[in-house]
Amino acid sequence: MANNFDLTLFSLITLTIFILISLSWLILRTLKEGRKALGEINKDRS
């Protein structure tokens, strides 16, 4: 029973890390695109 619990805990930790990395990547990519879009808007105004 303890072996099954260890495997479940390992899977949960791995899944949590994967989700956090994916969300961080998505947020950073969105911020990068937003910064690029703001730069283009400011360039068009000039």
Side-chain angles (χ1 to χ4, degrees):
M1 191 67 162
N3 188 22
N4 192 17
F5 178 74
D6 290 341
L7 183 61
T8 304
L9 184 61
F10 176 75
S11 299
L12 184 61
I13 291 171
T14 305
L15 183 62
T16 303
I17 291 171
F18 177 74
I19 290 171
L20 289 175
I21 289 172
S22 298
L23 285 175
S24 298
W25 177 80
L26 182 64
I27 289 169
L28 289 175
R29 185 172 174 104
T30 303
L31 289 174
K32 182 180 175 185
E33 290 292 325
R35 192 177 304 128
K36 186 178 174 184
L38 286 175
E40 290 179 5
I41 290 171
N42 289 334
K43 184 179 173 185
D44 291 342
R45 279 189 184 172
S46 299

